[in-house]
């Protein structure tokens, strides 16, 4: 093979290899969930994952979207958030639904109660799952027990 043919072959092969490599990386990135090191390497991606309307904070009550997002980030990256005067959402007590800790407890309860999530909906399986969703946050935040129907959206508590 002459030098000219080798250069021509390399000129064609290199862009094809790069395109295939980039395509595989994009495809893999779209299907991957955030890795364990996302908190250290890409905290912005965690905030994006936790945005209201997304998979985790799908439909928070009106006005609580930011608190849900903060709670999601707190649940995923507890060592990367702190109570500061700059943003009081991180400082509110666990029973305050406008605080990150309240929502973090809800998200953690979903994780803990996941094994009880019914595959067949019967009264007993649904009751066990929803009881877990209430009992787990109350175990971690006893102040919730004193708050009537805290687990319902504000507009449904009457």
């Amino acid at each position: 093979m002459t030098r000219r043919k080798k250069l021509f072959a390399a000129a064609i092969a290199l862009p094809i290899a790069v395109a295939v490599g980039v395509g595989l990386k994009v495809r893999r990135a779209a299907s991957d969930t955030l890795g364990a090191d996302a908190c250290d390497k890409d905290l912005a991606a965690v905030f994006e994952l936790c945005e209201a309307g997304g998979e985790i904070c799908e439909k928070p009550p009106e006005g609580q979207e930011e608190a849900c997002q903060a709670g999601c980030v707190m649940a995923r990256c507890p060592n990367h958030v702190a109570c500061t005067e700059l943003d009081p959402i991180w400082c509110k007590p666990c029973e305050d639904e406008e605080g990150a800790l309240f929502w973090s407890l809800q998200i953690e309860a979903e994780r803990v109660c996941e094994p009880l999530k019914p595959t067949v909906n019967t009264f007993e399986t649904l009751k066990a799952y929803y009881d877990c969703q209430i009992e787990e946050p109350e175990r971690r935040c006893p102040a919730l027990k004193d708050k009537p129907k805290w687990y319902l959206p504000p507009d449904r508590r009457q």
Side-chain angles (χ1 to χ4, degrees):
M1 196 178 229
T2 66
R3 181 182 163 130
R4 184 179 228 169
K5 287 182 182 178
K6 287 180 183 175
L7 286 174
F8 181 73
I12 291 175
L14 186 61
I16 291 172
V18 169
V20 168
V22 168
L24 288 174
K25 183 172 178 134
V26 168
R27 184 174 183 183
R28 185 173 51 247
S31 64
D32 282 351
T33 58
L34 292 179
D37 60 350
C39 297
D40 294 322
K41 293 185 177 180
D42 196 1
L43 194 57
V46 178
F47 273 89
E48 188 176 310
L49 172 76
C50 293
E51 280 182 331
E55 186 178 324
I56 297 169
C57 289
E58 189 177 354
K59 295 179 186 175
E62 189 175 325
Q64 296 178 4
E65 297 88 356
E66 190 177 324
C68 184
Q69 180 183 30
C72 172
V73 172
M74 182 181 272
R76 289 187 168 268
C77 304
N79 297 328
H80 291 74
V81 297
C83 175
T84 67
E85 292 179 11
L86 298 175
D87 193 348
I89 202 165
W90 307 103
C91 304
K92 296 188 183 220
C94 60
E95 71 274 13
D96 187 338
E97 58 202 37
E98 298 200 2
L101 187 52
F102 175 88
W103 287 94
S104 175
L105 293 173
Q106 307 311 306
I107 292 164
E108 279 299 306
E110 283 196 36
R111 183 187 60 77
V112 169
C113 300
E114 181 70 25
L116 297 174
K117 196 169 194 175
T119 53
V120 177
N121 291 342
T122 66
F123 177 77
E124 291 80 18
T125 58
L126 285 170
K127 182 171 179 355
Y129 177 67
Y130 289 117
D131 284 350
C132 178
Q133 294 278 333
I134 295 168
E135 292 165 3
E136 183 62 22
E138 286 180 349
R139 184 183 66 76
R140 295 178 185 216
C141 177
L144 286 173
K145 292 178 184 178
D146 299 331
K147 196 173 177 184
K149 298 185 181 180
W150 63 267
Y151 46 87
L152 293 176
D155 61 336
R156 293 185 49 212
R157 289 187 191 146
Q158 276 69 14

